[in-house]
Amino acid sequence: ALRYLFLSFFVLGVLPLFTGLLFDLTIMIPLRMPLDESPRFFLERDWVLGIIFLKVWFQLLVSGVVGDNDVKAAIQQIINEGPENINVYDTMIRAVLPFLHCLLLYLCIPYALSWGLAPLTV
């Protein structure tokens, strides 16, 4: 039971939150916020948006439209084995961590560049 809780924390909590936050930071906030105001984050809305985006991405991945073959093979293995035979370590290494790695890069690199370059322009 603890292994399902650990895996669901990442799959149903962290990944959707980071996906929605990335969408909010790159698309929504630049469109709706004036430059002289500080943005407000609604994490529950970002989480719901992330759930929707991950559901669409999952369907596109399973249908073969997008995605890496290694991640697709890992997800197909999870689907074929069923939830009672899931290997948490293998699932984290082959399916969750590559996606989390990309999300963290997309979130952290612009932040680090803006903090690194901002003192040079002032």
Side-chain angles (χ1 to χ4, degrees), residues 3 7 14-15 22-23 27 29 32 39-40 45 48-49 54 56 63 66 69-70 72 76 86 102-104 114 121:
R3 65 183 180 163
L7 190 59
V14 174
L15 288 180
L22 181 64
F23 178 75
I27 306 289
I29 287 179
R32 69 177 172 175
R40 291 180 299 184
R45 184 186 64 196
V48 170
L49 279 172
L54 285 179
V56 169
S63 66
V66 297
N69 288 335
D70 295 334
K72 182 179 178 181
Q76 285 292 341
I86 196 166
C102 290
L103 280 174
L104 287 174
S114 67
T121 60

Side-chain angles (χ1 to χ4, degrees), residues 50-92:
I51 289 283
I52 293 168
F53 287 139
L54 285 179
K55 184 175 180 181
V56 169
W57 176 80
F58 178 77
Q59 291 300 324
L60 290 173
L61 181 74
V62 170
S63 66
V65 177
V66 297
D68 187 14
N69 288 335
D70 295 334
V71 175
K72 182 179 178 181
I75 291 178
Q76 285 292 341
Q77 181 182 1
I78 294 166
I79 292 171
N80 292 338
E81 290 179 357
E84 62 274 351
N85 297 325
I86 196 166
N87 184 353
V88 174
Y89 179 76
D90 191 44
T91 303
M92 288 294 293

Side-chain angles (χ1 to χ4, degrees), residues 16-36:
L17 180 64
F18 284 173
T19 304
L21 190 62
L22 181 64
F23 178 75
D24 200 19
L25 286 171
T26 57
I27 306 289
M28 298 302 294
I29 287 179
L31 290 177
R32 69 177 172 175
M33 294 298 298
L35 292 175
D36 60 342

Side-chain angles (χ1 to χ4, degrees), residues 1-10 82-86 88:
L2 191 58
R3 65 183 180 163
Y4 292 123
L5 184 65
F6 177 75
L7 190 59
S8 65
F9 171 74
F10 282 98
E84 62 274 351
N85 297 325
I86 196 166
V88 174

